[in-house]
PDB file of all heavy atoms in Angstrom:
ATOM      1  N   ILE A 345      94.781  95.573 100.791  1.00 88.00           N
ATOM      2  CA  ILE A 345      94.422  95.289  99.397  1.00 88.00           C
ATOM      3  C   ILE A 345      95.381  95.984  98.430  1.00 88.00           C
ATOM      4  O   ILE A 345      95.891  95.379  97.485  1.00 88.00           O
ATOM      5  CB  ILE A 345      92.970  95.716  99.116  1.00 88.00           C
ATOM      6  CG1 ILE A 345      91.991  94.879  99.949  1.00 88.00           C
ATOM      7  CG2 ILE A 345      92.643  95.548  97.623  1.00 88.00           C
ATOM      8  CD1 ILE A 345      90.557  95.366  99.895  1.00 88.00           C
ATOM      9  N   PHE A 350      97.694  93.841  95.851  1.00 80.00           N
ATOM     10  CA  PHE A 350      97.810  94.276  94.456  1.00 80.00           C
ATOM     11  C   PHE A 350      99.263  94.428  94.014  1.00 80.00           C
ATOM     12  O   PHE A 350      99.617  94.048  92.904  1.00 80.00           O
ATOM     13  CB  PHE A 350      97.078  95.600  94.257  1.00 80.00           C
ATOM     14  CG  PHE A 350      95.567  95.475  94.208  1.00 80.00           C
ATOM     15  CD1 PHE A 350      94.770  96.591  94.067  1.00 80.00           C
ATOM     16  CD2 PHE A 350      94.952  94.232  94.295  1.00 80.00           C
ATOM     17  CE1 PHE A 350      93.394  96.484  94.034  1.00 80.00           C
ATOM     18  CE2 PHE A 350      93.579  94.111  94.260  1.00 80.00           C
ATOM     19  CZ  PHE A 350      92.792  95.243  94.129  1.00 80.00           C
ATOM     20  N   LEU A 353     101.031  91.170  93.369  1.00 74.00           N
ATOM     21  CA  LEU A 353     100.435  90.545  92.189  1.00 74.00           C
ATOM     22  C   LEU A 353     100.760  91.306  90.899  1.00 74.00           C
ATOM     23  O   LEU A 353     100.447  90.845  89.806  1.00 74.00           O
ATOM     24  CB  LEU A 353      98.907  90.464  92.347  1.00 74.00           C
ATOM     25  CG  LEU A 353      98.394  89.445  93.379  1.00 74.00           C
ATOM     26  CD1 LEU A 353      96.899  89.610  93.588  1.00 74.00           C
ATOM     27  CD2 LEU A 353      98.723  88.025  92.950  1.00 74.00           C
ATOM     28  N   TRP A 355      99.534  94.367  90.153  1.00 79.00           N
ATOM     29  CA  TRP A 355      98.321  95.058  89.705  1.00 79.00           C
ATOM     30  C   TRP A 355      98.397  96.548  90.011  1.00 79.00           C
ATOM     31  O   TRP A 355      97.437  97.157  90.494  1.00 79.00           O
ATOM     32  CB  TRP A 355      97.094  94.467  90.393  1.00 79.00           C
ATOM     33  CG  TRP A 355      96.751  93.084  89.949  1.00 79.00           C
ATOM     34  CD1 TRP A 355      97.441  92.305  89.064  1.00 79.00           C
ATOM     35  CD2 TRP A 355      95.623  92.303  90.375  1.00 79.00           C
ATOM     36  NE1 TRP A 355      96.832  91.093  88.904  1.00 79.00           N
ATOM     37  CE2 TRP A 355      95.710  91.056  89.699  1.00 79.00           C
ATOM     38  CE3 TRP A 355      94.574  92.536  91.243  1.00 79.00           C
ATOM     39  CZ2 TRP A 355      94.768  90.062  89.886  1.00 79.00           C
ATOM     40  CZ3 TRP A 355      93.641  91.532  91.431  1.00 79.00           C
ATOM     41  CH2 TRP A 355      93.724  90.316  90.752  1.00 79.00           C
ATOM     42  N   GLN A 357      98.237  99.075  88.143  1.00 78.00           N
ATOM     43  CA  GLN A 357      97.291  99.901  87.402  1.00 78.00           C
ATOM     44  C   GLN A 357      95.966 100.026  88.153  1.00 78.00           C
ATOM     45  O   GLN A 357      95.289 101.059  88.084  1.00 78.00           O
ATOM     46  CB  GLN A 357      97.055  99.338  85.992  1.00 78.00           C
ATOM     47  CG  GLN A 357      96.318  98.001  85.939  1.00 78.00           C
ATOM     48  CD  GLN A 357      97.239  96.810  86.138  1.00 78.00           C
ATOM     49  OE1 GLN A 357      98.391  96.954  86.552  1.00 78.00           O
ATOM     50  NE2 GLN A 357      96.736  95.619  85.831  1.00 78.00           N
ATOM     51  N   HIS A 358      95.577  98.984  88.894  1.00 83.00           N
ATOM     52  CA  HIS A 358      94.366  99.060  89.708  1.00 83.00           C
ATOM     53  C   HIS A 358      94.561 100.061  90.849  1.00 83.00           C
ATOM     54  O   HIS A 358      93.633 100.794  91.213  1.00 83.00           O
ATOM     55  CB  HIS A 358      94.021  97.690  90.286  1.00 83.00           C
ATOM     56  CG  HIS A 358      93.685  96.668  89.248  1.00 83.00           C
ATOM     57  ND1 HIS A 358      93.244  97.001  87.982  1.00 83.00           N
ATOM     58  CD2 HIS A 358      93.722  95.294  89.279  1.00 83.00           C
ATOM     59  CE1 HIS A 358      93.014  95.905  87.293  1.00 83.00           C
ATOM     60  NE2 HIS A 358      93.307  94.852  88.040  1.00 83.00           N
ATOM     61  N   ASN A 359      95.776 100.057  91.414  1.00 78.00           N
ATOM     62  CA  ASN A 359      96.086 101.005  92.481  1.00 78.00           C
ATOM     63  C   ASN A 359      95.934 102.441  92.003  1.00 78.00           C
ATOM     64  O   ASN A 359      95.442 103.316  92.729  1.00 78.00           O
ATOM     65  CB  ASN A 359      97.517 100.796  92.986  1.00 78.00           C
ATOM     66  CG  ASN A 359      97.718  99.441  93.623  1.00 78.00           C
ATOM     67  OD1 ASN A 359      96.751  98.739  93.934  1.00 78.00           O
ATOM     68  ND2 ASN A 359      98.959  99.057  93.813  1.00 78.00           N
ATOM     69  N   MET A 360      96.397 102.683  90.786  1.00 78.00           N
ATOM     70  CA  MET A 360      96.310 104.031  90.225  1.00 78.00           C
ATOM     71  C   MET A 360      94.863 104.501  90.158  1.00 78.00           C
ATOM     72  O   MET A 360      94.538 105.649  90.482  1.00 78.00           O
ATOM     73  CB  MET A 360      96.932 104.054  88.827  1.00 78.00           C
ATOM     74  CG  MET A 360      98.425 103.832  88.791  1.00 78.00           C
ATOM     75  SD  MET A 360      99.346 105.295  89.294  1.00 78.00           S
ATOM     76  CE  MET A 360      99.147 106.296  87.817  1.00 78.00           C
ATOM     77  N   VAL A 361      93.975 103.613  89.745  1.00 86.00           N
ATOM     78  CA  VAL A 361      92.563 103.988  89.605  1.00 86.00           C
ATOM     79  C   VAL A 361      91.929 104.247  90.966  1.00 86.00           C
ATOM     80  O   VAL A 361      91.256 105.268  91.165  1.00 86.00           O
ATOM     81  CB  VAL A 361      91.777 102.881  88.864  1.00 86.00           C
ATOM     82  CG1 VAL A 361      90.290 103.224  88.814  1.00 86.00           C
ATOM     83  CG2 VAL A 361      92.318 102.702  87.449  1.00 86.00           C
ATOM     84  N   SER A 362      92.140 103.343  91.916  1.00 87.00           N
ATOM     85  CA  SER A 362      91.481 103.485  93.223  1.00 87.00           C
ATOM     86  C   SER A 362      92.019 104.668  94.012  1.00 87.00           C
ATOM     87  O   SER A 362      91.250 105.473  94.557  1.00 87.00           O
ATOM     88  CB  SER A 362      91.629 102.197  94.036  1.00 87.00           C
ATOM     89  OG  SER A 362      92.974 101.925  94.346  1.00 87.00           O
ATOM     90  N   THR A 363      93.347 104.791  94.080  1.00 83.00           N
ATOM     91  CA  THR A 363      93.914 105.910  94.837  1.00 83.00           C
ATOM     92  C   THR A 363      93.695 107.239  94.119  1.00 83.00           C
ATOM     93  O   THR A 363      93.517 108.279  94.753  1.00 83.00           O
ATOM     94  CB  THR A 363      95.416 105.693  95.097  1.00 83.00           C
ATOM     95  OG1 THR A 363      96.092 105.481  93.845  1.00 83.00           O
ATOM     96  CG2 THR A 363      95.647 104.505  95.999  1.00 83.00           C
ATOM     97  N   SER A 365      91.059 108.011  92.264  1.00 88.00           N
ATOM     98  CA  SER A 365      89.663 108.377  92.524  1.00 88.00           C
ATOM     99  C   SER A 365      89.519 108.980  93.915  1.00 88.00           C
ATOM    100  O   SER A 365      88.827 109.994  94.108  1.00 88.00           O
ATOM    101  CB  SER A 365      88.765 107.143  92.399  1.00 88.00           C
ATOM    102  OG  SER A 365      88.859 106.556  91.121  1.00 88.00           O
ATOM    103  N   GLU A 397      87.755 104.646  97.838  1.00 92.00           N
ATOM    104  CA  GLU A 397      88.913 103.816  97.495  1.00 92.00           C
ATOM    105  C   GLU A 397      88.620 102.345  97.770  1.00 92.00           C
ATOM    106  O   GLU A 397      88.951 101.465  96.961  1.00 92.00           O
ATOM    107  CB  GLU A 397      90.145 104.254  98.289  1.00 92.00           C
ATOM    108  CG  GLU A 397      91.389 103.441  97.934  1.00 92.00           C
ATOM    109  CD  GLU A 397      92.567 103.744  98.823  1.00 92.00           C
ATOM    110  OE1 GLU A 397      92.392 104.434  99.844  1.00 92.00           O
ATOM    111  OE2 GLU A 397      93.668 103.256  98.506  1.00 92.00           O
ATOM    112  N   LEU A 398      87.970 102.062  98.903  1.00 94.00           N
ATOM    113  CA  LEU A 398      87.665 100.677  99.238  1.00 94.00           C
ATOM    114  C   LEU A 398      86.678 100.066  98.242  1.00 94.00           C
ATOM    115  O   LEU A 398      86.841  98.910  97.821  1.00 94.00           O
ATOM    116  CB  LEU A 398      87.092 100.591 100.659  1.00 94.00           C
ATOM    117  CG  LEU A 398      86.739  99.181 101.142  1.00 94.00           C
ATOM    118  CD1 LEU A 398      87.974  98.278 101.130  1.00 94.00           C
ATOM    119  CD2 LEU A 398      86.121  99.230 102.539  1.00 94.00           C
ATOM    120  N   VAL A 399      85.668 100.829  97.843  1.00 95.00           N
ATOM    121  CA  VAL A 399      84.690 100.329  96.874  1.00 95.00           C
ATOM    122  C   VAL A 399      85.375  99.950  95.562  1.00 95.00           C
ATOM    123  O   VAL A 399      85.135  98.876  94.992  1.00 95.00           O
ATOM    124  CB  VAL A 399      83.589 101.380  96.615  1.00 95.00           C
ATOM    125  CG1 VAL A 399      82.712 100.966  95.438  1.00 95.00           C
ATOM    126  CG2 VAL A 399      82.730 101.571  97.864  1.00 95.00           C
ATOM    127  N   VAL A 400      86.255 100.824  95.065  1.00 94.00           N
ATOM    128  CA  VAL A 400      86.961 100.552  93.808  1.00 94.00           C
ATOM    129  C   VAL A 400      87.904  99.358  93.974  1.00 94.00           C
ATOM    130  O   VAL A 400      88.000  98.496  93.093  1.00 94.00           O
ATOM    131  CB  VAL A 400      87.735 101.799  93.342  1.00 94.00           C
ATOM    132  CG1 VAL A 400      88.515 101.499  92.060  1.00 94.00           C
ATOM    133  CG2 VAL A 400      86.780 102.967  93.101  1.00 94.00           C
ATOM    134  N   ASN A 401      88.603  99.290  95.119  1.00 93.00           N
ATOM    135  CA  ASN A 401      89.505  98.161  95.358  1.00 93.00           C
ATOM    136  C   ASN A 401      88.759  96.834  95.363  1.00 93.00           C
ATOM    137  O   ASN A 401      89.237  95.832  94.816  1.00 93.00           O
ATOM    138  CB  ASN A 401      90.232  98.348  96.695  1.00 93.00           C
ATOM    139  CG  ASN A 401      91.342  99.373  96.621  1.00 93.00           C
ATOM    140  OD1 ASN A 401      91.908  99.591  95.557  1.00 93.00           O
ATOM    141  ND2 ASN A 401      91.644 100.013  97.733  1.00 93.00           N
ATOM    142  N   LEU A 402      87.596  96.813  95.996  1.00 93.00           N
ATOM    143  CA  LEU A 402      86.818  95.574  96.052  1.00 93.00           C
ATOM    144  C   LEU A 402      86.309  95.176  94.669  1.00 93.00           C
ATOM    145  O   LEU A 402      86.196  93.977  94.359  1.00 93.00           O
ATOM    146  CB  LEU A 402      85.645  95.737  97.021  1.00 93.00           C
ATOM    147  CG  LEU A 402      86.022  95.878  98.504  1.00 93.00           C
ATOM    148  CD1 LEU A 402      84.774  96.076  99.351  1.00 93.00           C
ATOM    149  CD2 LEU A 402      86.799  94.662  98.989  1.00 93.00           C
ATOM    150  N   TYR A 403      86.020  96.156  93.847  1.00 93.00           N
ATOM    151  CA  TYR A 403      85.597  95.868  92.475  1.00 93.00           C
ATOM    152  C   TYR A 403      86.692  95.110  91.727  1.00 93.00           C
ATOM    153  O   TYR A 403      86.434  94.103  91.049  1.00 93.00           O
ATOM    154  CB  TYR A 403      85.260  97.174  91.757  1.00 93.00           C
ATOM    155  CG  TYR A 403      84.997  97.005  90.275  1.00 93.00           C
ATOM    156  CD1 TYR A 403      83.777  96.523  89.814  1.00 93.00           C
ATOM    157  CD2 TYR A 403      85.990  97.320  89.339  1.00 93.00           C
ATOM    158  CE1 TYR A 403      83.535  96.353  88.449  1.00 93.00           C
ATOM    159  CE2 TYR A 403      85.764  97.159  87.980  1.00 93.00           C
ATOM    160  CZ  TYR A 403      84.531  96.679  87.541  1.00 93.00           C
ATOM    161  OH  TYR A 403      84.316  96.516  86.198  1.00 93.00           O
ATOM    162  N   PHE A 404      87.935  95.577  91.865  1.00 92.00           N
ATOM    163  CA  PHE A 404      89.057  94.900  91.194  1.00 92.00           C
ATOM    164  C   PHE A 404      89.391  93.568  91.872  1.00 92.00           C
ATOM    165  O   PHE A 404      89.765  92.594  91.212  1.00 92.00           O
ATOM    166  CB  PHE A 404      90.293  95.799  91.189  1.00 92.00           C
ATOM    167  CG  PHE A 404      90.181  96.982  90.272  1.00 92.00           C
ATOM    168  CD1 PHE A 404      90.385  98.266  90.744  1.00 92.00           C
ATOM    169  CD2 PHE A 404      89.870  96.819  88.931  1.00 92.00           C
ATOM    170  CE1 PHE A 404      90.279  99.365  89.899  1.00 92.00           C
ATOM    171  CE2 PHE A 404      89.771  97.903  88.077  1.00 92.00           C
ATOM    172  CZ  PHE A 404      89.973  99.180  88.559  1.00 92.00           C
ATOM    173  N   LEU A 405      89.256  93.536  93.203  1.00 89.00           N
ATOM    174  CA  LEU A 405      89.590  92.325  93.950  1.00 89.00           C
ATOM    175  C   LEU A 405      88.686  91.161  93.567  1.00 89.00           C
ATOM    176  O   LEU A 405      89.078  89.993  93.666  1.00 89.00           O
ATOM    177  CB  LEU A 405      89.478  92.601  95.457  1.00 89.00           C
ATOM    178  CG  LEU A 405      89.919  91.477  96.394  1.00 89.00           C
ATOM    179  CD1 LEU A 405      91.405  91.190  96.214  1.00 89.00           C
ATOM    180  CD2 LEU A 405      89.604  91.838  97.840  1.00 89.00           C
ATOM    181  N   ALA A 406      87.477  91.468  93.111  1.00 88.00           N
ATOM    182  CA  ALA A 406      86.509  90.430  92.749  1.00 88.00           C
ATOM    183  C   ALA A 406      87.012  89.531  91.619  1.00 88.00           C
ATOM    184  O   ALA A 406      86.530  88.412  91.449  1.00 88.00           O
ATOM    185  CB  ALA A 406      85.185  91.075  92.354  1.00 88.00           C
ATOM    186  N   ALA A 407      88.003  90.015  90.862  1.00 85.00           N
ATOM    187  CA  ALA A 407      88.568  89.199  89.785  1.00 85.00           C
ATOM    188  C   ALA A 407      89.502  88.119  90.331  1.00 85.00           C
ATOM    189  O   ALA A 407      89.864  87.177  89.615  1.00 85.00           O
ATOM    190  CB  ALA A 407      89.324  90.087  88.801  1.00 85.00           C
ATOM    191  N   PHE A 408      89.884  88.240  91.594  1.00 85.00           N
ATOM    192  CA  PHE A 408      90.841  87.296  92.194  1.00 85.00           C
ATOM    193  C   PHE A 408      90.213  86.492  93.334  1.00 85.00           C
ATOM    194  O   PHE A 408      90.528  85.323  93.528  1.00 85.00           O
ATOM    195  CB  PHE A 408      92.053  88.074  92.713  1.00 85.00           C
ATOM    196  CG  PHE A 408      93.133  87.209  93.271  1.00 85.00           C
ATOM    197  CD1 PHE A 408      93.928  86.437  92.432  1.00 85.00           C
ATOM    198  CD2 PHE A 408      93.357  87.152  94.639  1.00 85.00           C
ATOM    199  CE1 PHE A 408      94.931  85.621  92.959  1.00 85.00           C
ATOM    200  CE2 PHE A 408      94.354  86.351  95.168  1.00 85.00           C
ATOM    201  CZ  PHE A 408      95.148  85.583  94.323  1.00 85.00           C
ATOM    202  N   LEU A 409      89.326  87.143  94.099  1.00 85.00           N
ATOM    203  CA  LEU A 409      88.684  86.493  95.230  1.00 85.00           C
ATOM    204  C   LEU A 409      87.175  86.631  95.126  1.00 85.00           C
ATOM    205  O   LEU A 409      86.672  87.587  94.530  1.00 85.00           O
ATOM    206  CB  LEU A 409      89.140  87.122  96.555  1.00 85.00           C
ATOM    207  CG  LEU A 409      90.588  86.934  96.990  1.00 85.00           C
ATOM    208  CD1 LEU A 409      90.852  87.771  98.240  1.00 85.00           C
ATOM    209  CD2 LEU A 409      90.903  85.478  97.257  1.00 85.00           C
ATOM    210  N   VAL A 411      84.555  88.042  96.715  1.00 88.00           N
ATOM    211  CA  VAL A 411      84.450  89.076  97.749  1.00 88.00           C
ATOM    212  C   VAL A 411      83.288  88.810  98.695  1.00 88.00           C
ATOM    213  O   VAL A 411      83.390  89.028  99.907  1.00 88.00           O
ATOM    214  CB  VAL A 411      84.308  90.473  97.095  1.00 88.00           C
ATOM    215  CG1 VAL A 411      84.040  91.533  98.152  1.00 88.00           C
ATOM    216  CG2 VAL A 411      85.577  90.805  96.306  1.00 88.00           C
TER     217      VAL A 411
END
Side-chain angles (χ1 to χ4, degrees):
I345 295 171
F350 285 178
L353 289 171
W355 290 3
Q357 68 276 13
H358 296 337
N359 296 346
M360 293 283 285
V361 176
S362 64
T363 55
S365 301
E397 182 187 10
L398 181 59
V399 170
V400 178
N401 284 333
L402 292 178
Y403 172 79
F404 289 126
L405 186 63
F408 184 72
L409 292 174
V411 174

